[in-house]
Amino acid sequence: MTPIGITALGMVCSVGHDVKTACASIRAGIKRSADLPYEVLDEGSFAMQPVAGHPIENQFEGYKGVAILAKLASKAIKDLIDYGSLSSQDERFWQQTKLLLCYSASKDEAADMVDELIKDQLAPLVVAQTNIPIDHRSIGLIDQGNAGCLIALVKAQQLIEQSSLKRVIIVGMDSLVDSATVERLAEDNRLKTPESAQGMIPGEASAAFMVEDIKIAQQRSGKIAGYVVGCDYRHGDSFFEEKPLYGLALSDAIYNAIKKKRAVIEEAVNTVYGDLNGEYHRSMDWGNALVRLEGRLGYTLDRQIFIAESIGDTGAACAAIGICSAIRGFERRYADGNLQLVTATSENGLAAAALLAKKIS
């Protein structure tokens, strides 16, 4: 693929309300958990215990559904505008910019109705709350969960290369901390509880990044903090089909992202940002993918960072958080080497990977 530059970042999560604070906190291993409005039985003490989670406190209480998604996305976009020293009123700039919003499809009993509501209202709400001069009808929506932002990245590269668009802003947002979602996760035995160390801790977050044609970024004197030099996704088996997970789709996506790279000298990947969350199926898929990759790449992906360790499972936001964290590593010079990898797998089996470089030739 033709390399594209990353020129702006934005984020909000439980350990930071802007991308600089959030990435520094994640790197330091800071955690800010809180009790969620749902209780489970501790069979040892026969007492009800609250479920732990990583909500963004004092920010979005009372919001749910499309409202919380819009609030999360808007917060990340505003931070991205500040981070990149962009003008929210430059009409020419925004006319040449595509906005892609990535989220997880609803899984509750009224899923179809909720999803239609999101498709109808999310884009207009985001435009209204950010006050950017962009037609909400041109905003793309991707409801593919964890892998959504990396799928959007593949689409962004194609749009920049094949159309008159100069840049694409990709936003991932998700919230798993409301009582209905936590109850559903508890019923499916997916939560980490006093009785089960194997499970996920719900979180909520939003992250955004802007990719741009390199020449255009240089012409407007934009700072290129890193480059996307490879990106790929593959379709695999759903995590819930009760089939063995062999890591086939994930290993293929990672291998193709690395082997598709352009404009960088051949070298090993230093760090991987992944979306393991404590659930068995993700661990199995990742472990098997690593075994397959070692023989194909000729080296092991030793340094692995999992966002959920600090801020819980952030669903569709996780991949964008990984990209922001990797780019901040380049900027702050604590990332060893020139290449970092971001991976994500959605519950429906979609697996994706993006290869980032600090420098290109």
Side-chain angles (χ1 to χ4, degrees):
M1 65 171 283
T2 303
I4 48 180
I6 297 179
T7 53
L9 310 171
M11 195 193 306
V12 58
C13 68
S14 60
V15 295
H17 296 172
D18 63 83
V19 68
K20 293 180 181 180
T21 304
C23 289
S25 298
I26 290 171
R27 180 176 183 248
I30 293 173
K31 302 176 183 179
R32 191 175 293 158
S33 62
D35 293 340
L36 300 180
Y38 189 81
E39 294 182 333
V40 294
L41 177 66
D42 182 347
E43 296 181 2
S45 63
F46 296 101
M48 298 300 290
Q49 297 287 338
V51 172
H54 293 271
I56 304 172
E57 295 189 303
N58 305 317
Q59 289 285 312
F60 307 115
E61 286 86 349
Y63 292 96
K64 59 182 180 180
V66 67
I68 183 66
L69 294 181
K71 285 287 185 182
L72 286 166
S74 299
K75 181 76 173 177
I77 292 170
K78 288 178 181 178
D79 187 38
L80 176 142
I81 290 171
D82 290 341
Y83 188 95
S85 300
L86 308 175
S87 170
S88 60
Q89 299 305 310
D90 185 341
E91 292 190 7
R92 183 181 178 187
F93 177 92
W94 291 101
Q95 286 171 358
Q96 298 173 333
T97 303
K98 180 76 171 180
L99 182 59
L100 298 176
L101 303 178
C102 307
Y103 59 97
S104 298
S106 178
K107 301 177 184 65
D108 61 24
E109 295 178 356
D112 291 342
M113 182 176 68
V114 173
D115 287 339
E116 284 302 315
L117 193 65
I118 292 172
K119 290 175 181 178
D120 289 342
Q121 297 188 11
L122 181 58
L125 284 171
V126 169
V127 171
Q129 292 175 16
T130 56
N131 198 32
I132 53 176
I134 192 169
D135 186 349
H136 70 81
R137 292 169 295 185
S138 69
I139 295 175
L141 302 177
I142 298 175
D143 63 350
Q144 295 298 324
N146 289 36
C149 285
L150 301 185
I151 294 170
L153 190 52
V154 174
K155 183 175 182 179
Q157 193 274 336
Q158 295 169 347
L159 287 170
I160 291 172
E161 193 173 66
Q162 300 171 8
S163 73
S164 59
L165 285 169
K166 308 301 182 186
R167 62 195 66 84
V168 178
I169 295 174
I170 297 170
V171 189
M173 78 290 301
D174 219 332
S175 177
L176 305 177
V177 299
D178 63 278
S179 57
T181 300
V182 176
E183 182 178 4
R184 174 178 54 78
L185 292 170
E187 290 173 350
D188 292 341
N189 297 316
R190 296 183 58 190
L191 292 175
K192 181 177 182 180
T193 67
E195 296 301 316
S196 176
Q198 178 182 292
M200 53 103 86
I201 300 177
E204 70 178 348
S206 180
F209 58 96
M210 183 166 75
V211 291
E212 194 165 4
D213 180 276
I214 295 172
K215 291 182 179 179
I216 296 298
Q218 292 169 340
Q219 288 172 10
R220 68 172 186 85
S221 299
K223 180 183 177 182
I224 301 176
Y227 301 87
V228 181
V229 294
C231 194
D232 193 68
Y233 67 90
R234 288 290 182 267
H235 295 269
D237 292 328
S238 167
F239 285 159
F240 307 115
E241 289 183 1
E242 297 184 356
K243 294 180 179 180
L245 296 167
Y246 297 117
L248 290 170
L250 182 56
S251 60
D252 283 347
I254 292 172
Y255 181 79
N256 288 331
I258 292 174
K259 290 305 175 182
K260 281 182 178 180
K261 68 179 184 290
R262 297 288 183 271
V264 290
I265 300 171
E266 189 76 22
E267 59 182 285
V269 174
N270 173 257
T271 304
V272 182
Y273 288 86
D275 63 346
L276 263 64
N277 65 350
E279 292 188 279
Y280 174 78
H281 49 261
R282 285 194 181 278
S283 299
M284 281 294 295
D285 200 51
W286 175 247
N288 284 322
L290 287 179
V291 172
R292 293 178 179 278
L293 285 165
E294 185 174 356
R296 298 174 76 181
L297 296 176
Y299 60 87
T300 58
L301 299 172
D302 290 327
R303 187 162 186 258
Q304 303 165 24
I305 298 174
F306 302 112
I307 302 298
E309 290 182 2
S310 182
I311 60 174
D313 189 320
T314 52
C318 187
I321 294 170
I323 287 177
C324 289
S325 299
I327 294 300
R328 286 297 292 166
F330 288 150
E331 290 191 309
R332 299 295 294 169
R333 300 182 182 178
Y334 54 76
D336 295 329
N338 188 49
L339 297 176
Q340 299 189 79
L341 187 72
V342 178
T343 72
T345 308
S346 298
E347 293 176 0
N348 63 7
L350 275 171
L355 185 65
L356 310 179
K358 183 177 181 180
K359 299 178 182 178
I360 59 174
S361 56

